[in-house]
Amino acid sequence: MKVIQFLKDWTLIIAILAGIGGYFAYVSIPWLRPTHAFASEAIAVVQPLLIFSMLFITFSKINPHELRLRRWHLWLLLLQCGLFTAIGLVLIALPHSDMHIVLEGAMICLICPTATAGAVITRKLGGNVNNITTYTILINLAAALMIPALVPLVHPNPEMSAMTSSMLILRKVFPLLLMPLVAALAIRRMLPGLNRRIGSLQGLTFYLWAVALALATAVTTRSIVHTDVDVATQLWLVAVSLICCAMQFWIGRKIGLRYNDMITAGQSFGQKNTVLAIWMGYTFFTPITAVAGGFYSIWHNLVNSYQLYEHKKSTAGNTAAKAGS
């Protein structure tokens, strides 16, 4: 049990090291070189399946009757989509900007939906699980529409029209972000027994996330190794991911405080499905853009670790004060 707890406590670091180490070990074995093309194709299929599975299992636990729309949901949606659109319009107006890749990194950090594990952290911090679940559904719906609408204009494909590119992206994003919800609600209604069994597998999402993060880290490492993008731009991607993370947690908590739901709003806006962000980076933008999503994963986990530490210390202090009185 101690080993399992250790793995859970250090999953982020273990997954990242496994991804980096696994990549270099794989490419250094000469007799595996003929499999490189197949491995790339396999990862392109496995990554979306892992994301779909995590969302599906998470949504299977949803009780639609417990979900409520809050005013802060609308404010965060407006900000998240608005910032994504604003940066996109800047890039459309300045297609040859030296900061193009960096700003694309900011875009994926901003539009990326709330993490599937967001409800777990929110519960531990004393927030409202139903409210963050509602926002997770809303931002998945918004992202499924915003990404196909704007990305082809920001990062045009020279081999196809903007409309064709948009439909291609929609075909990839729509099933990934919306079908898990549709499937979960359909099974809940038609096969309640199966739905309960799937809902009881919430712990499985933790392991799926670990595998997905390791694969995403390996892909990001490959992008860094093979890119011709200068080091300064890569460092800017690291910096912009940190800025986006800090800004979104801060804004979310500020808006949530106004509506007496600070913790939930902060996690909804700041804690991201970074595996999806990395996938979006190397699928729809320049592969090196995935670096922003990779480092966002580190930053938001550091924020969560600090919040959990402070919450635990505060709870222990309150308990001690009550015992003393």
Side-chain angles (χ1 to χ4, degrees):
M1 294 300 292
K2 289 184 178 180
V3 174
I4 294 175
Q5 189 59 48
F6 173 82
L7 293 175
K8 286 186 175 181
D9 291 341
W10 295 95
T11 299
L12 173 69
I13 301 300
I14 293 171
I16 290 174
L17 292 177
I20 297 172
Y23 169 78
F24 284 112
Y26 176 66
V27 298
S28 66
I29 300 174
W31 56 270
L32 287 178
R33 286 174 188 168
T35 68
H36 288 184
F38 171 77
S40 296
E41 294 176 3
I43 290 175
V45 174
V46 171
Q47 276 281 51
L49 286 176
L50 288 170
I51 296 169
F52 180 97
S53 299
M54 288 187 290
L55 288 171
F56 174 65
I57 294 173
T58 300
F59 290 150
S60 293
K61 203 173 182 180
I62 290 175
N63 184 348
H65 301 293
E66 296 178 353
L67 303 181
R68 297 289 184 275
L69 184 65
R70 307 299 180 186
R71 286 189 178 181
W72 63 259
H73 287 151
L74 302 178
W75 281 112
L76 293 192
L77 279 173
L78 180 63
L79 279 169
Q80 198 161 352
C81 296
L83 290 170
F84 176 74
T85 303
I87 296 176
L89 292 176
V90 169
L91 291 178
I92 293 170
L94 303 170
H96 304 296
S97 170
D98 293 337
M99 296 293 286
H100 202 99
I101 292 176
V102 175
L103 292 177
E104 286 180 347
M107 289 180 71
I108 65 171
C109 290
L110 291 168
I111 198 59
C112 185
T114 306
T116 53
V120 176
I121 301 298
T122 299
R123 182 185 290 109
K124 289 183 177 181
L125 293 173
N128 189 304
V129 173
N130 290 331
N131 285 351
I132 191 174
T133 302
T134 302
Y135 188 77
T136 301
I137 294 172
L138 292 173
I139 192 55
N140 272 275
L141 290 168
L145 297 174
M146 295 294 296
I147 294 168
L150 201 56
V151 170
L153 302 176
V154 172
H155 195 87
N157 188 329
E159 298 179 359
M160 60 182 70
S161 67
M163 179 60 70
T164 303
S165 181
S166 179
M167 295 306 297
L168 180 63
I169 294 173
L170 181 65
R171 198 169 66 192
K172 288 185 177 182
V173 172
F174 187 85
L176 193 62
L177 296 183
L178 299 186
M179 288 309 296
L181 175 63
V182 173
L185 292 178
I187 290 176
R188 180 184 184 87
R189 183 174 183 83
M190 295 184 291
L191 301 168
L194 177 59
N195 178 75
R196 284 192 294 271
R197 291 185 180 182
I198 296 173
S200 67
L201 299 175
Q202 296 300 310
L204 179 60
T205 58
F206 175 82
Y207 299 102
L208 292 175
W209 170 77
V211 173
L213 181 58
L215 288 175
T217 303
V219 171
T220 305
T221 303
R222 181 186 62 183
S223 300
I224 294 172
V225 170
H226 293 285
T227 188
D228 55 0
V229 175
D230 59 273
V231 175
T233 299
Q234 296 181 51
L235 292 176
W236 269 111
L237 283 169
V238 175
V240 82
S241 67
L242 175 59
I243 293 168
C244 287
C245 182
M247 179 187 73
Q248 288 181 104
F249 270 108
W250 184 79
I251 291 176
R253 290 173 69 87
K254 283 291 183 181
I255 292 177
L257 181 63
R258 183 175 180 180
Y259 295 99
N260 198 32
D261 206 359
M262 181 180 70
I263 292 171
T264 313
Q267 295 307 121
S268 296
F269 207 37
Q271 189 174 350
K272 302 290 188 181
N273 186 348
T274 50
V275 173
L276 178 64
I278 294 169
W279 177 79
M280 285 193 297
Y282 68 73
T283 302
F284 304 132
F285 294 99
T286 306
I288 195 63
T289 311
V291 169
F295 274 89
Y296 196 105
S297 179
I298 295 174
W299 307 138
H300 83 170
N301 276 284
L302 288 174
V303 171
N304 285 339
S305 296
Y306 174 75
Q307 289 184 123
L308 290 170
Y309 169 77
E310 287 294 316
H311 179 73
K312 185 177 180 180
K313 187 170 69 172
S314 175
T315 303
N318 293 335
T319 302
K322 290 181 180 178
S325 62

